[in-house]
Amino acid sequence: GWGRPDQVWLTGRVLERLAPAGARSADRWWRNVRATLQRVASREVAGVELQLTIGGCTARAVSDNDGYYAARVDRLTLAAGWHSTQVEPVAPPAHATGRRWSSDVLVVPGDAPLGVVSDLDDTVLHSGVTNLLVAARTVLLDNAATRVPWPGVGALYRGLAEGAQGRSPAGTGAVPVFYLSTSPWNLYDLLTEFLDRHRLPRGPMFLMDWGLSHTGLLRGHDHGHKRERLETLFATYPRMRLVLVGDSGQRDAEIYRDAARAHPGRVAAVVVRDVTTPDSARARAVHAALGELGRLGVAAITCADTSDAAAFLTGLGLCHPSTVEKVRAARDDDRRHPH
């Protein structure tokens, strides 16, 4: 969940069972395939009425046909930082194994001046989403311990979260990081475990529901999802300027350009990880989008190396100068030990 001191949004999913946690780099390929299939073939529980409690206030929600639930809680007086929400079925299903669970909620002040929004696939970690066979192999055969990060990305994002003063936000949400991706919610546990393993800042995650739509077509990779979530963040935090981070493989550059065009002065910087072939049509499209960002007054860069991103962001006063050396050291370590 996420929100402001006076209002939070709580989301979750009711499943019959969870995929196994605690991935290891030594896990055999067949174990990873089995875990992936368990995630994809999740058994959702519909029609469960839930009571959600946070900050002494409660709300009710009912899981839909895909097991998802969502609720908004108003009239709160929460401090900035992470909070715990208690979730309890009003009438637990007969086969339920637990009567109560908790989820974390990040509360960010409504007047927070700066935030970070980052894509995940091929930005934070290698996924190969532009190549169907590579992406399928990665999802099936890898786990949170074997997925490969953008070398140095953990140090880069910690530098962004600590801000220009180089001090840890200590969970206050002073420089919050939101993760925005078209990955399916079925991979939520794998992605959170990956972020923890590589010491990336905790943050709310906005993923997608993959499956058959009412038209019978497969849902997923809907770039409208990213645009809608960005609009929600702009509206929720009206004084917040956003650092937007994505990759060149998808349409992140164009989405971020459109956001800057629609919200003048609200985009602090754009960083696009370069994962495309030079002089390709996709590379030219990214170059054009970044050129337009420059004409809109938004500093933007495309780069393959996190140290270049760190130098760029430090030059804009968004990271402490020590971030550059920290990112270089972390980058070299990740290259030596990618897992």
Side-chain angles (χ1 to χ4, degrees), residues 76-318:
L76 293 164
T77 55
L78 299 173
W82 287 95
H83 294 260
S84 180
T85 300
Q86 298 301 313
V87 185
E88 184 175 12
V90 175
H95 54 275
T97 58
R99 290 185 56 86
R100 177 182 297 181
W101 62 92
S102 63
S103 62
D104 294 331
V105 179
L106 178 62
V107 173
V108 179
D111 59 353
L114 187 68
V116 178
V117 176
S118 174
D119 179 44
L120 286 169
D121 290 307
D122 287 330
T123 300
V124 170
L125 72 167
H126 172 69
S127 299
V129 295
T130 58
N131 185 311
L132 183 59
L133 291 178
V134 172
R137 183 192 182 283
T138 300
V139 171
L140 277 173
L141 302 183
D142 284 329
N143 60 35
T146 60
R147 294 291 292 268
V148 178
W150 186 14
V153 71
L156 176 64
Y157 281 40
R158 289 194 298 274
L160 277 168
E162 291 169 359
Q165 301 303 314
R167 301 193 187 102
S168 171
T172 63
V175 185
V177 180
F178 301 91
Y179 297 99
L180 175 56
S181 173
T182 54
S183 285
W185 280 110
N186 304 65
L187 299 182
Y188 174 79
D189 65 307
L190 182 149
L191 293 171
T192 54
E193 186 177 350
F194 176 91
L195 296 180
D196 289 343
R197 291 181 70 91
H198 293 278
R199 298 174 55 214
L200 278 97
R202 297 171 65 199
M205 201 174 290
F206 302 100
L207 306 180
M208 285 190 63
D209 176 25
W210 281 42
L212 293 178
S213 69
H214 67 280
T215 63
L217 299 176
L218 186 67
R219 294 191 300 259
H221 288 282
D222 181 2
H223 298 296
H225 160 74
K226 291 185 176 181
R227 298 179 192 274
E228 291 169 5
R229 294 300 175 268
L230 279 174
E231 288 298 319
T232 299
L233 291 173
F234 280 125
T236 303
Y237 306 108
R239 298 186 182 180
M240 181 183 287
R241 299 173 70 225
L242 295 177
V243 177
L244 305 177
V245 189
D247 66 87
S248 62
Q250 295 183 291
R251 295 183 58 84
D252 293 338
E254 291 91 334
I255 292 170
Y256 296 164
R257 174 205 60 199
D258 293 346
R261 185 187 293 158
H263 300 276
R266 298 291 305 279
V267 177
V270 171
V271 175
V272 177
R273 181 187 181 187
D274 186 5
V275 296
T276 53
T277 304
D279 297 324
S280 64
R282 186 76 207 113
R284 290 192 293 273
V286 170
H287 179 76
L290 266 59
E292 187 167 350
L293 279 165
R295 290 188 289 275
L296 291 169
V298 177
I301 186 176
T302 178
C303 57
D305 195 311
T306 49
S307 67
D308 293 333
F312 168 74
L313 294 166
T314 299
L316 295 174
L318 298 171

